Amino acid sequence: MWINGVARDARNDEVIERETPAAKGVVTIAPRGTAEDAEDAIAAAEAQFLSGEWAESYGGDKAKILAGVAACIRRDAEELAYLETLETGKPLKASLGEVEGSADLWEYASGLAPTLHGDSYSNLGPDRMGMILRQPIGVVSIITPWNFPLLIASERIPFALAAGCSTVVKPSEFTSATTLRLGEYLKECGLPDGACNIVSGHGHDIGQVMIEHPSVRMVSFTGSPRVGKIVMHAAAETTKKLSLELGGKSPSVVFADCDMEAAIDGVLKGSNFNAGQCCIAGSRLIVEDKIADQFLEKLIVRAQDLKVGDPFDPQTAIGAIVNEAQFDQIDRYVSAARDSGASILMGGEGDTSNGLFYQPTIIANAPSDSPIAQEEIFGPVLSVFRFKTIQEAIKLANSTNFGLAAYIWTNDLNTALSCGRRIEGGRVWVNAALQGIPEMPLGGYRGSGIGRETGRFGVDEYCEMKSLQINHMPQAERWVTTG
Ligand code: NAD
């Protein structure tokens, strides 16, 4: 772990052994941090923040360090991708893409560091002017999930650092390796000690301290809606700022006028990328009735070509499910849908003979208020619904408690814009699936979360805004008049 610029083990020397879900055997060993380790990390972050060494440093100097990390990530890309695949079970080519995207994020955030500025007013009268200062919020706890470990850490850490914050980061206990590597890179690139502390371990061991500690000013949590609510309750005690990136049940809305081949490809990518363990997975297909039969027929043929299995095989499209609990959750949702009379159009089976794998699954005729239609499954499972009018499509798209992303497939500009404006989601794509770029912010409506990450707004999340008003000439008028 990285605490105050020093690599160290947990105080009690305990470790977490990670078994790869794509075969059998331990692939990484990480320290199992304790609450005391988290307290050490918070103390180091606070001392660094109060010293002003990082918080008040020149933006251009911050930029050089953050860009340096991007270069380290690119230098070690293959090794990082390998680690990511061993721990998550995702295809190696997807890990390479994730590593590349992570380097892009560090580079982009480095460019934001020198551009951070406030505002000023010199039109407030002859004796008064105002400055609006944008200042780092302070110590930020960043808690991340297992599905895109390096990418999600890179959507948060460099933006918080660009703002001048000090950070305490906790990766998922299943996937600590690549986040811990970031600690090495930050040290190598000259980040002042204590500005980024990384504590590996379980949420139930160290999460509470990271959220409740009075020196922590903000919590950036990415994970499940269930834990997100726990974080909200815990943060209320000390009235902390929260940024929550939670789950989704994102729709792919397919209109009859779309480019059907492109839409089929996009719908399959949306529902099966990362074995569906993706917060923005397009897990609901909402397809126009007049093409629905033809679309489904073609979709199933193409889905049957998706190779499930060994993540190191370049032909593999769908790798492993991250752990047994996740595997069982997928199977439970599919079995419940089957039992309730929904039609399993394909898949619906897992294979645990050597690793945890699940077939791409397509389910139709489930009621739109059933769990398979409403809840996040986090597996390669697509539920199908039909619509006749655009109003019906928008209503269906907005019919869950989530609002993280949406995919619209149409060649009609009016349809694209009408849906793009009315479907509630932090990210809406037209004729594209899962193309994240650093410039575009991400986040959720409703149950999908609070706040935005990445893009130029991603730095704002980690800032406070202060009005500094100055009267610069002797004041003639007094509020208290004497005699
Ligand atoms: P999770 O909520 O189980 O865990 C997320 C993180 O929280 C982990 O680091 C975990 O150790 C920690 N944690 C667990 N209990 C905690 C507690 N009591 N206090 C503090 N921290 C605690 O989520 P997961 O299973 O790792 O990830 C899957 C979930 O993440 C899905 O619901 C997915 O939609 C969501 N997700 C959202 C986004 C997004 O940007 N919206 C991105 C990726 C994943």
Side-chain angles (χ1 to χ4, degrees), residues 144-147 152 170 173 203 221 223-224 245-247 279 376 378:
T144 58
W146 45 257
N147 55 348
I152 291 174
K170 193 199 91 59
E173 56 272 29
F221 172 81
S224 60
E245 302 287 349
L246 308 176
C279 55
E376 186 177 53
F378 238 49

Side-chain angles (χ1 to χ4, degrees), residues 66-86:
L66 300 180
V69 175
C72 293
I73 294 174
R74 290 195 203 288
R75 180 192 68 201
D76 296 348
E78 279 193 27
E79 195 186 346
L80 290 168
Y82 197 81
L83 283 171
E84 206 79 313
T85 288
L86 286 176

Side-chain angles (χ1 to χ4, degrees), residues 287-304:
V287 56
E288 191 163 349
D289 202 39
K290 60 185 170 200
I291 60 157
D293 290 337
Q294 188 196 4
F295 191 87
L296 283 172
E297 207 173 292
K298 288 182 168 217
L299 188 78
I300 289 167
V301 171
R302 290 279 293 282
Q304 278 158 350

Side-chain angles (χ1 to χ4, degrees), residues 315-396:
Q315 301 305 316
T316 295
I318 302 180
I321 303 302
V322 76
N323 55 35
E324 272 173 28
Q326 191 59 39
F327 183 92
D328 292 345
Q329 171 170 306
I330 299 167
D331 218 32
R332 259 197 320 276
Y333 274 108
V334 173
S335 302
R338 192 185 276 122
D339 293 347
S340 72
S343 325
I344 312 290
L345 302 184
M346 73 169 286
E349 300 290 336
D351 176 0
T352 54
S353 52
N354 185 27
L356 303 165
F357 297 96
Y358 211 90
Q359 291 297 321
T361 298
I362 303 179
I363 299 180
N365 303 322
S368 62
D369 59 354
S370 61
I372 200 106
Q374 290 290 324
E375 294 170 21
E376 186 177 53
I377 300 168
F378 238 49
V381 181
L382 180 69
S383 317
V384 183
F385 307 92
R386 298 174 184 229
F387 69 90
K388 289 203 169 74
T389 66
I390 184 169
Q391 290 79 9
E392 217 184 316
I394 293 169
K395 194 169 168 201
L396 266 172

Side-chain angles (χ1 to χ4, degrees), residues 3 29 36 44 46 64 69 84 96 117 157 160 195 226 248 261 284 290 317 333 354 364 395 429 445 459 476:
I3 298 177
I29 300 174
E36 291 74 31
E46 188 181 31
K64 287 191 194 107
V69 175
E84 206 79 313
L96 279 165
H117 65 277
I157 303 170
R226 183 186 67 80
E261 291 305 315
R284 289 183 298 146
K290 60 185 170 200
Y333 274 108
N354 185 27
K395 194 169 168 201
W429 281 271
Y445 283 51
V459 179

